[in-house]
């Protein structure tokens, strides 16, 4: 996995998080709508002879927040 792949994964992950935020803003006045948030997790690293190489982050799920 190259550094470019890690960067691309980060961009895609943040795009999903921004889409979730945009969805929250668009539905702020919708009756019964509950806010959502993206749950990000670390992708396990890959072992190489030089040590572990990180693979970045990923969206595990979109959580619905209730109050």
């Amino acid at each position: 996995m190259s550094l470019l792949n890690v960067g691309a994964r980060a961009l895609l992950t943040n795009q999903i998080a921004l889409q979730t935020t945009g969805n929250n803003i668009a539905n702020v006045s919708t009756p019964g709508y509950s806010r959502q948030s993206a749950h990000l997790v670390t992708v396990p690293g890959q072992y190489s002879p030089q040590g572990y190489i990180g693979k970045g982050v990923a969206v595990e799920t979109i959580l619905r927040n209730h109050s």
Side-chain angles (χ1 to χ4, degrees), residues 4-65:
L4 291 175
N5 289 346
V6 173
R9 184 188 302 257
L11 287 172
L12 292 173
T13 300
N14 282 297
Q15 181 181 16
I16 293 170
L18 283 172
Q19 287 174 344
T20 304
T21 301
N23 190 38
N24 290 334
I25 292 169
N27 291 297
V28 70
S29 61
T30 303
Y33 180 78
S34 59
R35 188 172 61 89
Q36 298 176 351
S37 60
H39 184 250
L40 306 179
V41 295
T42 303
V43 177
Q46 177 180 351
Y47 181 75
S48 73
Q50 292 81 22
Y52 280 94
I53 299 172
K55 288 189 175 181
V57 297
V59 175
E60 183 177 52
T61 188
I62 303 295
L63 300 172
R64 187 169 299 276
N65 302 320

